[in-house]
Amino acid sequence: MAATRRTAPVRPSVTGALRAVESLLLSGGQRTARRNAWTAVLEDRRRAKDRVEAQHVMEAVSKATSRAT
């Protein structure tokens, strides 16, 4: 009689399980809202970076003007 191997059942990874639950819970509208929210976060970060750069330019111009007078 040949020995039979018993294999353990395949378990989904935690990430895979979370994605499956997410896809069940989130309808298309919620996915769109989440994507839009992330886009807004990225845009806010870009604007903040632009503000910092503008502030540095204004400070450099201010220093140059004060030295010239």
Side-chain angles (χ1 to χ4, degrees):
M1 185 166 151
T4 0
R5 281 188 143 179
R6 296 180 80 185
T7 58
V10 176
R11 295 184 188 170
S13 68
V14 174
T15 303
L18 289 175
R19 285 185 182 162
V21 170
E22 178 185 43
S23 68
L24 289 173
L25 295 177
L26 296 179
S27 67
Q30 288 173 322
R31 267 188 239 119
T32 300
R34 190 174 63 181
R35 193 177 319 117
N36 290 345
W38 181 245
T39 301
V41 166
L42 295 177
E43 184 63 20
D44 286 346
R45 288 179 182 174
R46 187 195 61 77
R47 280 193 298 262
K49 182 181 172 188
D50 289 347
R51 277 193 306 273
V52 169
E53 289 175 3
Q55 182 180 1
H56 290 163
V57 169
M58 295 298 287
E59 288 172 355
V61 168
S62 174
K63 288 178 184 176
T65 305
S66 65
R67 285 185 200 155
T69 58

